Amino acid sequence: MSNLQPESKPDGLGTVPEQVLEQFAKQNQADFEIDFFDSILRNSPDFVDVLRCQGELLSRKGLHARALDVDRRLARLVPADPVVQYNLACSLSRNGLCDEALDVLRRALERGYDDFEYLELDGDLDLVRNDPRYRLLIQQFQPRPKRRARRSRKS
């Protein structure tokens, strides 16, 4: 693909402009997918599955302000989804919005988010993890390990 040249199409569609070819040659897969999903969302702005993919891609690319916009849209469309709320909390944290991130994290936990192991390791939550309110949330929602019953000793 390094030798991209405009070429005539026998079907009469003409040539592909050099500028378009250069743009595609410079684009990586994630950029291509972001552009592709943007084009779908222009026509179907509430397409939940596409919004989920787009939010993930934007976050992975470090485009946290755009990811936050997408996650807010998703939270309005599917407010009962605990994973959507969790992802919104992560985006808020990544954008330095600690108070709002903690409020939304609480909502995610109230709606059933329960992957506490991942929650403790997720770098997106580093900002809120330094806040004492985070520990209180975890203590409130994380199930306590079940204690094993002791056997009584015979005398």
Side-chain angles (χ1 to χ4, degrees):
M1 223 176 180
S2 61
N3 191 11
L4 293 175
Q5 298 294 324
E7 55 184 64
S8 293
K9 301 242 182 201
D11 59 9
L13 294 176
T15 61
V16 177
E18 182 84 23
Q19 177 181 354
V20 171
L21 290 174
E22 287 175 12
Q23 177 185 355
F24 283 119
K26 291 178 186 174
Q27 225 178 18
N28 65 30
Q29 184 65 32
D31 292 329
F32 174 81
E33 290 175 9
I34 288 169
D35 288 347
F36 176 71
F37 290 138
D38 278 344
S39 69
I40 293 172
L41 292 170
R42 276 192 291 280
N43 295 317
S44 302
D46 295 341
F47 196 148
V48 171
D49 291 333
V50 172
L51 285 166
R52 287 179 197 268
C53 293
Q54 187 72 316
E56 172 71 23
L57 283 167
L58 292 168
S59 184
R60 268 195 275 141
K61 280 286 286 187
L63 302 170
H64 300 298
R66 285 189 62 196
L68 177 57
D69 290 340
V70 168
D71 288 335
R72 285 187 192 278
R73 286 167 63 188
L74 272 169
R76 281 192 298 274
L77 292 168
V78 283
D81 187 319
V83 174
V84 167
Q85 296 298 322
Y86 176 80
N87 288 338
L88 176 55
C90 290
S91 284
L92 290 161
S93 178
R94 278 280 183 192
N95 281 278
L97 302 168
C98 186
D99 291 338
E100 192 177 354
L102 286 165
D103 289 342
V104 174
L105 182 57
R106 171 179 289 283
R107 263 199 321 257
L109 294 168
E110 288 170 347
R111 285 168 172 79
Y113 187 86
D114 64 356
D115 190 348
F116 290 94
E117 186 176 326
Y118 185 74
L119 195 145
E120 290 290 333
L121 300 173
D122 191 344
D124 290 341
L125 295 174
D126 286 347
L127 175 71
V128 298
R129 215 174 274 113
N130 294 323
D131 189 298
R133 295 172 292 174
Y134 172 83
R135 260 307 121 219
L136 293 173
L137 271 177
I138 299 305
Q139 289 170 0
Q140 181 180 353
F141 286 94
Q142 188 171 27
R144 291 178 175 48
K146 293 182 180 177
R147 299 170 101 190
R148 292 173 53 187
R150 291 185 179 199
R151 293 185 179 177
S152 61
R153 292 188 216 173
K154 293 186 179 181
S155 328

PDB file of all heavy atoms in Angstrom, residues 121-139:
ATOM      1  N   LEU A 121      -7.901  -1.823  39.908  1.00  0.00           N
ATOM      2  CA  LEU A 121      -6.714  -1.759  39.048  1.00  0.00           C
ATOM      3  C   LEU A 121      -6.853  -0.770  37.894  1.00  0.00           C
ATOM      4  O   LEU A 121      -5.857  -0.419  37.263  1.00  0.00           O
ATOM      5  CB  LEU A 121      -6.429  -3.145  38.464  1.00  0.00           C
ATOM      6  CG  LEU A 121      -6.145  -4.255  39.469  1.00  0.00           C
ATOM      7  CD1 LEU A 121      -6.059  -5.597  38.761  1.00  0.00           C
ATOM      8  CD2 LEU A 121      -4.885  -3.960  40.242  1.00  0.00           C
ATOM      9  N   ASP A 122      -8.052  -0.344  37.602  1.00  0.00           N
ATOM     10  CA  ASP A 122      -8.327   0.493  36.429  1.00  0.00           C
ATOM     11  C   ASP A 122      -7.639   1.858  36.554  1.00  0.00           C
ATOM     12  O   ASP A 122      -7.981   2.665  37.415  1.00  0.00           O
ATOM     13  CB  ASP A 122      -9.839   0.668  36.265  1.00  0.00           C
ATOM     14  CG  ASP A 122     -10.226   1.288  34.945  1.00  0.00           C
ATOM     15  OD1 ASP A 122      -9.356   1.860  34.260  1.00  0.00           O
ATOM     16  OD2 ASP A 122     -11.409   1.198  34.590  1.00  0.00           O
ATOM     17  N   GLY A 123      -6.688   2.112  35.663  1.00  0.00           N
ATOM     18  CA  GLY A 123      -5.951   3.373  35.682  1.00  0.00           C
ATOM     19  C   GLY A 123      -6.815   4.594  35.420  1.00  0.00           C
ATOM     20  O   GLY A 123      -6.442   5.711  35.791  1.00  0.00           O
ATOM     21  N   ASP A 124      -7.969   4.385  34.799  1.00  0.00           N
ATOM     22  CA  ASP A 124      -8.866   5.512  34.555  1.00  0.00           C
ATOM     23  C   ASP A 124      -9.375   6.126  35.851  1.00  0.00           C
ATOM     24  O   ASP A 124      -9.791   7.281  35.869  1.00  0.00           O
ATOM     25  CB  ASP A 124     -10.069   5.074  33.712  1.00  0.00           C
ATOM     26  CG  ASP A 124      -9.696   4.750  32.279  1.00  0.00           C
ATOM     27  OD1 ASP A 124      -8.619   5.189  31.820  1.00  0.00           O
ATOM     28  OD2 ASP A 124     -10.483   4.053  31.617  1.00  0.00           O
ATOM     29  N   LEU A 125      -9.342   5.362  36.918  1.00  0.00           N
ATOM     30  CA  LEU A 125      -9.870   5.845  38.200  1.00  0.00           C
ATOM     31  C   LEU A 125      -8.790   6.312  39.169  1.00  0.00           C
ATOM     32  O   LEU A 125      -9.068   6.523  40.348  1.00  0.00           O
ATOM     33  CB  LEU A 125     -10.724   4.751  38.857  1.00  0.00           C
ATOM     34  CG  LEU A 125     -11.995   4.374  38.110  1.00  0.00           C
ATOM     35  CD1 LEU A 125     -12.676   3.197  38.776  1.00  0.00           C
ATOM     36  CD2 LEU A 125     -12.944   5.559  38.012  1.00  0.00           C
ATOM     37  N   ASP A 126      -7.576   6.489  38.694  1.00  0.00           N
ATOM     38  CA  ASP A 126      -6.482   6.898  39.584  1.00  0.00           C
ATOM     39  C   ASP A 126      -6.810   8.172  40.356  1.00  0.00           C
ATOM     40  O   ASP A 126      -6.526   8.274  41.542  1.00  0.00           O
ATOM     41  CB  ASP A 126      -5.178   7.082  38.809  1.00  0.00           C
ATOM     42  CG  ASP A 126      -4.551   5.755  38.406  1.00  0.00           C
ATOM     43  OD1 ASP A 126      -4.977   4.701  38.929  1.00  0.00           O
ATOM     44  OD2 ASP A 126      -3.643   5.770  37.555  1.00  0.00           O
ATOM     45  N   LEU A 127      -7.419   9.138  39.702  1.00  0.00           N
ATOM     46  CA  LEU A 127      -7.747  10.405  40.358  1.00  0.00           C
ATOM     47  C   LEU A 127      -8.688  10.179  41.543  1.00  0.00           C
ATOM     48  O   LEU A 127      -8.427  10.672  42.640  1.00  0.00           O
ATOM     49  CB  LEU A 127      -8.387  11.386  39.362  1.00  0.00           C
ATOM     50  CG  LEU A 127      -8.880  12.705  39.951  1.00  0.00           C
ATOM     51  CD1 LEU A 127      -7.695  13.584  40.347  1.00  0.00           C
ATOM     52  CD2 LEU A 127      -9.777  13.443  38.963  1.00  0.00           C
ATOM     53  N   VAL A 128      -9.762   9.428  41.340  1.00  0.00           N
ATOM     54  CA  VAL A 128     -10.733   9.251  42.422  1.00  0.00           C
ATOM     55  C   VAL A 128     -10.228   8.290  43.489  1.00  0.00           C
ATOM     56  O   VAL A 128     -10.641   8.381  44.646  1.00  0.00           O
ATOM     57  CB  VAL A 128     -12.112   8.787  41.895  1.00  0.00           C
ATOM     58  CG1 VAL A 128     -12.711   9.811  40.973  1.00  0.00           C
ATOM     59  CG2 VAL A 128     -12.054   7.445  41.235  1.00  0.00           C
ATOM     60  N   ARG A 129      -9.334   7.405  43.111  1.00  0.00           N
ATOM     61  CA  ARG A 129      -8.810   6.449  44.083  1.00  0.00           C
ATOM     62  C   ARG A 129      -8.029   7.157  45.194  1.00  0.00           C
ATOM     63  O   ARG A 129      -7.896   6.634  46.289  1.00  0.00           O
ATOM     64  CB  ARG A 129      -7.906   5.432  43.374  1.00  0.00           C
ATOM     65  CG  ARG A 129      -8.013   4.065  43.994  1.00  0.00           C
ATOM     66  CD  ARG A 129      -7.256   3.012  43.233  1.00  0.00           C
ATOM     67  NE  ARG A 129      -8.064   2.467  42.152  1.00  0.00           N
ATOM     68  CZ  ARG A 129      -7.787   2.632  40.852  1.00  0.00           C
ATOM     69  NH1 ARG A 129      -6.726   3.284  40.469  1.00  0.00           N
ATOM     70  NH2 ARG A 129      -8.579   2.117  39.947  1.00  0.00           N
ATOM     71  N   ASN A 130      -7.542   8.363  44.933  1.00  0.00           N
ATOM     72  CA  ASN A 130      -6.821   9.139  45.940  1.00  0.00           C
ATOM     73  C   ASN A 130      -7.752   9.927  46.853  1.00  0.00           C
ATOM     74  O   ASN A 130      -7.289  10.590  47.777  1.00  0.00           O
ATOM     75  CB  ASN A 130      -5.838  10.101  45.259  1.00  0.00           C
ATOM     76  CG  ASN A 130      -4.738   9.355  44.539  1.00  0.00           C
ATOM     77  OD1 ASN A 130      -4.264   8.328  45.011  1.00  0.00           O
ATOM     78  ND2 ASN A 130      -4.335   9.859  43.388  1.00  0.00           N
ATOM     79  N   ASP A 131      -9.035   9.865  46.605  1.00  0.00           N
ATOM     80  CA  ASP A 131     -10.016  10.596  47.401  1.00  0.00           C
ATOM     81  C   ASP A 131     -10.571   9.654  48.474  1.00  0.00           C
ATOM     82  O   ASP A 131     -10.942   8.521  48.168  1.00  0.00           O
ATOM     83  CB  ASP A 131     -11.143  11.078  46.475  1.00  0.00           C
ATOM     84  CG  ASP A 131     -12.097  12.024  47.152  1.00  0.00           C
ATOM     85  OD1 ASP A 131     -12.742  11.609  48.137  1.00  0.00           O
ATOM     86  OD2 ASP A 131     -12.217  13.170  46.677  1.00  0.00           O
ATOM     87  N   PRO A 132     -10.659  10.096  49.726  1.00  0.00           N
ATOM     88  CA  PRO A 132     -11.166   9.213  50.789  1.00  0.00           C
ATOM     89  C   PRO A 132     -12.591   8.710  50.540  1.00  0.00           C
ATOM     90  O   PRO A 132     -12.964   7.640  51.012  1.00  0.00           O
ATOM     91  CB  PRO A 132     -11.126  10.081  52.047  1.00  0.00           C
ATOM     92  CG  PRO A 132     -10.403  11.325  51.695  1.00  0.00           C
ATOM     93  CD  PRO A 132     -10.235  11.392  50.222  1.00  0.00           C
ATOM     94  N   ARG A 133     -13.376   9.456  49.780  1.00  0.00           N
ATOM     95  CA  ARG A 133     -14.747   9.028  49.484  1.00  0.00           C
ATOM     96  C   ARG A 133     -14.766   7.748  48.645  1.00  0.00           C
ATOM     97  O   ARG A 133     -15.713   6.962  48.730  1.00  0.00           O
ATOM     98  CB  ARG A 133     -15.517  10.144  48.763  1.00  0.00           C
ATOM     99  CG  ARG A 133     -15.721  11.382  49.643  1.00  0.00           C
ATOM    100  CD  ARG A 133     -16.302  12.525  48.848  1.00  0.00           C
ATOM    101  NE  ARG A 133     -15.309  13.003  47.883  1.00  0.00           N
ATOM    102  CZ  ARG A 133     -15.554  13.928  46.968  1.00  0.00           C
ATOM    103  NH1 ARG A 133     -16.752  14.482  46.881  1.00  0.00           N
ATOM    104  NH2 ARG A 133     -14.606  14.319  46.141  1.00  0.00           N
ATOM    105  N   TYR A 134     -13.717   7.525  47.876  1.00  0.00           N
ATOM    106  CA  TYR A 134     -13.623   6.303  47.078  1.00  0.00           C
ATOM    107  C   TYR A 134     -13.600   5.078  48.001  1.00  0.00           C
ATOM    108  O   TYR A 134     -14.315   4.106  47.786  1.00  0.00           O
ATOM    109  CB  TYR A 134     -12.374   6.348  46.193  1.00  0.00           C
ATOM    110  CG  TYR A 134     -12.097   5.051  45.474  1.00  0.00           C
ATOM    111  CD1 TYR A 134     -12.745   4.735  44.294  1.00  0.00           C
ATOM    112  CD2 TYR A 134     -11.181   4.130  45.988  1.00  0.00           C
ATOM    113  CE1 TYR A 134     -12.502   3.536  43.633  1.00  0.00           C
ATOM    114  CE2 TYR A 134     -10.935   2.933  45.346  1.00  0.00           C
ATOM    115  CZ  TYR A 134     -11.592   2.642  44.169  1.00  0.00           C
ATOM    116  OH  TYR A 134     -11.360   1.457  43.529  1.00  0.00           O
ATOM    117  N   ARG A 135     -12.748   5.111  49.018  1.00  0.00           N
ATOM    118  CA  ARG A 135     -12.642   3.986  49.957  1.00  0.00           C
ATOM    119  C   ARG A 135     -13.976   3.720  50.631  1.00  0.00           C
ATOM    120  O   ARG A 135     -14.374   2.573  50.816  1.00  0.00           O
ATOM    121  CB  ARG A 135     -11.614   4.305  51.051  1.00  0.00           C
ATOM    122  CG  ARG A 135     -10.263   3.765  50.966  1.00  0.00           C
ATOM    123  CD  ARG A 135     -10.131   2.284  50.776  1.00  0.00           C
ATOM    124  NE  ARG A 135      -9.386   2.078  49.546  1.00  0.00           N
ATOM    125  CZ  ARG A 135      -9.613   1.146  48.661  1.00  0.00           C
ATOM    126  NH1 ARG A 135     -10.524   0.253  48.835  1.00  0.00           N
ATOM    127  NH2 ARG A 135      -8.917   1.048  47.567  1.00  0.00           N
ATOM    128  N   LEU A 136     -14.682   4.799  50.985  1.00  0.00           N
ATOM    129  CA  LEU A 136     -15.987   4.625  51.617  1.00  0.00           C
ATOM    130  C   LEU A 136     -16.970   3.931  50.677  1.00  0.00           C
ATOM    131  O   LEU A 136     -17.744   3.073  51.115  1.00  0.00           O
ATOM    132  CB  LEU A 136     -16.552   5.981  52.065  1.00  0.00           C
ATOM    133  CG  LEU A 136     -15.788   6.681  53.184  1.00  0.00           C
ATOM    134  CD1 LEU A 136     -16.338   8.092  53.412  1.00  0.00           C
ATOM    135  CD2 LEU A 136     -15.845   5.865  54.468  1.00  0.00           C
ATOM    136  N   LEU A 137     -16.941   4.296  49.402  1.00  0.00           N
ATOM    137  CA  LEU A 137     -17.805   3.637  48.415  1.00  0.00           C
ATOM    138  C   LEU A 137     -17.502   2.146  48.327  1.00  0.00           C
ATOM    139  O   LEU A 137     -18.411   1.313  48.326  1.00  0.00           O
ATOM    140  CB  LEU A 137     -17.599   4.254  47.030  1.00  0.00           C
ATOM    141  CG  LEU A 137     -18.450   5.431  46.633  1.00  0.00           C
ATOM    142  CD1 LEU A 137     -18.042   5.933  45.253  1.00  0.00           C
ATOM    143  CD2 LEU A 137     -19.913   5.100  46.665  1.00  0.00           C
ATOM    144  N   ILE A 138     -16.231   1.845  48.251  1.00  0.00           N
ATOM    145  CA  ILE A 138     -15.827   0.435  48.132  1.00  0.00           C
ATOM    146  C   ILE A 138     -16.276  -0.332  49.371  1.00  0.00           C
ATOM    147  O   ILE A 138     -16.840  -1.427  49.268  1.00  0.00           O
ATOM    148  CB  ILE A 138     -14.301   0.305  47.920  1.00  0.00           C
ATOM    149  CG1 ILE A 138     -13.877   1.008  46.636  1.00  0.00           C
ATOM    150  CG2 ILE A 138     -13.867  -1.155  47.920  1.00  0.00           C
ATOM    151  CD1 ILE A 138     -14.617   0.555  45.400  1.00  0.00           C
ATOM    152  N   GLN A 139     -16.047   0.251  50.545  1.00  0.00           N
ATOM    153  CA  GLN A 139     -16.458  -0.422  51.784  1.00  0.00           C
ATOM    154  C   GLN A 139     -17.966  -0.631  51.825  1.00  0.00           C
ATOM    155  O   GLN A 139     -18.448  -1.653  52.306  1.00  0.00           O
ATOM    156  CB  GLN A 139     -16.002   0.385  52.994  1.00  0.00           C
ATOM    157  CG  GLN A 139     -14.518   0.360  53.208  1.00  0.00           C
ATOM    158  CD  GLN A 139     -14.066   1.365  54.264  1.00  0.00           C
ATOM    159  OE1 GLN A 139     -14.872   2.087  54.846  1.00  0.00           O
ATOM    160  NE2 GLN A 139     -12.763   1.422  54.502  1.00  0.00           N
TER     161      GLN A 139
END
